[in-house]
Amino acid sequence: MTRASLRRPVVAGAFAATMLAAATACGTSANTSANTGTSAAILPAQSGAVAASPGAGLKAATAATLGSIVTDGSGWALYRSDNDKNIPPTSNCTDSCATEWPPATPVSDTQITGVDGNLVGSLTRPDGTQQLTLNGWPLYHYAGDEQPGQTNGQKVGQVWFVSTPEGLKAGVAAASGSGSTSTDTTNPSGY
């Protein structure tokens, strides 16, 4: 079963059970990244934080290879894309892209730990749903991460990066423009 199928709202119990059985029987994995197997020991940035409901929330954490990053309330890494824009906040990841990179859902102020709440927001996606933003950058999960603590989406297509608590690119030197606004709409990663 892929992480993406766990992140989607369950519309009907029978459908979910059927999909679970099919995914388990097939033994497939959504991990198509050239950067497979990347797993970081992700530790909460602040001790004593109360875990939010599964998946809900935004918290600062530390990844062994990337430094300070953000995760959801269950420890799944959150990503940003250079194909998006932060001014104004714009997501260009739709259709099959949004299947591989499921948009993170907005959070309440009480679900934020170790991140400046003034940087947290949301946008309305082209399909009308809401998406979590950090410093204007839309945030996503990655279907190739099969368990909390993995960062398999880092540098996919050279446009996907784990987000820092400031909304910058984790693991990228500041001199490379890791926080700059991206208006480039070219598609080196297939979306």
Side-chain angles (χ1 to χ4, degrees), residues 55-58 73 105-112 120-122 132:
L58 179 66
T105 56
V107 299
S108 70
D109 290 344
T110 61
Q111 295 173 307
I112 301 170
V120 179
S122 65
L132 177 64

Side-chain angles (χ1 to χ4, degrees), residues 58-77:
L58 179 66
K59 62 183 180 178
T62 301
T65 59
L66 298 174
S68 295
I69 66 168
V70 291
T71 69
D72 69 9
S74 296
W76 294 93

Side-chain angles (χ1 to χ4, degrees), residues 77-139:
L78 294 174
Y79 298 85
R80 53 167 276 184
S81 171
D82 284 347
N83 288 335
D84 291 341
K85 294 190 301 185
N86 70 330
I87 301 173
T90 305
S91 171
N92 290 306
C93 180
T94 60
D95 303 321
S96 62
C97 175
T99 300
E100 189 74 9
W101 299 93
T105 56
V107 299
S108 70
D109 290 344
T110 61
Q111 295 173 307
I112 301 170
T113 304
V115 177
D116 182 351
N118 293 319
L119 297 177
V120 179
S122 65
L123 65 83
T124 302
R125 295 179 49 76
D127 64 5
T129 61
Q130 295 292 302
Q131 181 172 0
L132 177 64
T133 63
L134 184 57
N135 199 17
W137 291 100
L139 294 180

